[in-house]
Amino acid sequence: MRRVSVAGISGSGKTTVARALAERLGVPYVELDALHHGPNWTEATADELRARVETAIAAAPDGWVIDGNYRSKLDDIVLAQADTFVWLEPPMRISLVRLWRRTWRRWRTGEELWHGNRETVRGLIDPRYGMISWAAQSHFRHKRQIPAALARNPHLRLARLRTQREVSDFLASV
């Protein structure tokens, strides 16, 4: 296990698990959100994001852990080069509670995410574009799209983790 893709909905624990995994493996951690979101929440085009991801992968020939999804823009660029796919799939209510707490904390402290961006309460609860709505939609989209992506990449070792105990056991085994 040297090239790992970690995916899941917002609040599933992707960043926490990916950082811990990268540290244990001694490889770079790559956060797709940081490559995707520019100043003022501008989004990279598919071509821009692909180029950034390909650069990050090329800069880490001995391995990497990539945190994030973006399959609609990246297709299978990450999965084709990964050897392991970690799918974090806690119950949606757990992810939503984590998402709420994380965003509330970031908003209260004014924590900067990437390129000067900060979260807002509106960005959390907006019924059309907010993170809660996005996470709920992503939950169902992942159930459809991830199995298809895995079928296209049968070389991947799969770790499908649904509980905190499974996550802890997986990290302890690395």
Side-chain angles (χ1 to χ4, degrees), residues 25-43:
L25 295 172
V27 298
Y29 161 74
V30 178
E31 184 177 18
L32 292 182
D33 282 339
L35 300 178
H36 182 256
H37 295 291
N40 299 313
W41 295 104
T42 56
E43 294 184 4

Side-chain angles (χ1 to χ4, degrees), residues 125-170:
I125 62 173
D126 185 289
R128 191 165 177 194
Y129 303 108
M131 289 300 296
I132 289 177
S133 174
W134 176 258
Q137 292 171 35
S138 295
H139 174 79
F140 297 105
R141 187 172 49 251
H142 284 204
K143 287 192 176 292
R144 288 188 320 272
Q145 292 178 350
I146 288 177
L150 293 170
R152 289 190 306 273
N153 294 279
H155 66 281
L156 290 169
R157 172 183 173 218
L158 172 63
R160 189 172 186 180
L161 309 175
R162 296 182 174 113
T163 67
Q164 188 56 50
R165 172 59 133 198
E166 291 174 348
V167 170
S168 297
D169 290 347
F170 173 75

Side-chain angles (χ1 to χ4, degrees), residues 5-6 12 15 20 31 34 37 55 68 80 84 91 93-94 109 113 118 122 132 145 147 152 158-159 162 165 167-168:
S5 174
V6 179
S12 64
T15 300
E31 184 177 18
H37 295 291
T55 298
T84 305
R93 71 182 182 283
I94 300 294
T109 64
L113 299 176
R118 288 177 171 72
R122 181 178 180 199
I132 289 177
Q145 292 178 350
R152 289 190 306 273
L158 172 63
R162 296 182 174 113
R165 172 59 133 198
V167 170
S168 297

Side-chain angles (χ1 to χ4, degrees), residues 9 35 49 71 115 125 139:
I9 69 169
L35 300 178
L49 184 58
R71 278 178 304 284
H115 313 291
I125 62 173
H139 174 79

Side-chain angles (χ1 to χ4, degrees), residues 2 10 13 19 25 29 38 55 72 78 81 91 93 99 103 108 125 150 157 174:
R2 299 297 298 165
S10 297
R19 284 183 175 153
L25 295 172
Y29 161 74
T55 298
S72 65
V78 174
Q81 298 177 66
R93 71 182 182 283
L99 178 59
T103 302
R108 274 192 4 259
I125 62 173
L150 293 170
R157 172 183 173 218
V174 175

Side-chain angles (χ1 to χ4, degrees), residues 59-151:
D62 294 330
W64 37 260
V65 175
I66 295 180
D67 154 15
N69 302 300
Y70 296 100
R71 278 178 304 284
S72 65
K73 288 188 175 183
L74 294 174
D75 298 314
D76 285 349
I77 289 173
V78 174
L79 296 183
Q81 298 177 66
D83 57 34
T84 305
F85 183 76
V86 177
W87 182 4
L88 298 173
E89 194 182 23
M92 188 166 47
R93 71 182 182 283
I94 300 294
S95 293
L96 294 179
V97 167
R98 289 177 180 168
L99 178 59
W100 174 265
R101 286 181 184 153
R102 179 188 77 194
T103 302
W104 183 255
R105 175 187 47 80
R106 287 175 174 172
W107 174 74
R108 274 192 4 259
T109 64
E111 179 180 334
E112 181 180 329
L113 299 176
W114 321 276
H115 313 291
N117 296 319
R118 288 177 171 72
E119 292 196 274
T120 65
V121 172
R122 181 178 180 199
L124 177 67
I125 62 173
D126 185 289
R128 191 165 177 194
Y129 303 108
M131 289 300 296
I132 289 177
S133 174
W134 176 258
Q137 292 171 35
S138 295
H139 174 79
F140 297 105
R141 187 172 49 251
H142 284 204
K143 287 192 176 292
R144 288 188 320 272
Q145 292 178 350
I146 288 177
L150 293 170

